[in-house]
Amino acid sequence: MNPSVLIVGAIIATLLGALFHLWKDGGLGRLVLYLFLAWLGFFGGHFLSRAIGFNWFMLGQLRLGGGIILAVLVLLLGHWLSLIDPQGRKNHG
């Protein structure tokens, strides 16, 4: 992966995480969580798409389709898991 693909992917993943944070609201801790999850999901989706040959919605070598789909799924799953309280109290965030 060349540096330009990495930079564009990082910008798109950061934008996805920041937009998700604006939508779901939260403090600094949630912002860091959502940015991490967006990066993990986006680049995981990119590499998974490359491995299986999923070439939908590409920008040069960057597989945006798989990256965005997996980033959104990881963000939704991560948000849902962050609402679970191990002590059994209700946590509405």
Side-chain angles (χ1 to χ4, degrees), residues 83 85 88-92:
L83 297 177
D85 184 19
R89 295 172 291 178
K90 301 253 183 195
N91 183 11
H92 301 286

Side-chain angles (χ1 to χ4, degrees), residues 40-90:
L40 182 70
F42 185 83
F43 285 107
H46 165 76
F47 288 117
L48 181 64
S49 294
R50 192 171 86 185
I52 64 173
F54 183 66
N55 296 327
W56 177 71
F57 194 44
M58 290 185 58
L59 179 64
Q61 296 176 346
L62 188 62
R63 286 162 169 78
L64 290 176
I68 291 172
I69 290 169
L70 194 59
V72 169
L73 291 175
V74 169
L75 282 165
L76 289 169
L77 179 66
H79 174 71
W80 179 66
L81 289 174
S82 74
L83 297 177
I84 296 173
D85 184 19
Q87 279 78 32
R89 295 172 291 178
K90 301 253 183 195

Side-chain angles (χ1 to χ4, degrees), residues 4-43:
S4 62
V5 171
L6 184 62
I7 291 169
V8 172
I11 290 169
I12 292 170
T14 302
L15 180 62
L16 287 170
L19 288 173
F20 193 84
H21 180 260
L22 284 174
W23 177 47
K24 287 298 185 180
D25 202 14
L28 180 62
R30 289 279 171 112
L31 176 61
V32 172
L33 173 67
Y34 295 149
L35 290 176
F36 172 75
L37 292 174
W39 277 56
L40 182 70
F42 185 83
F43 285 107

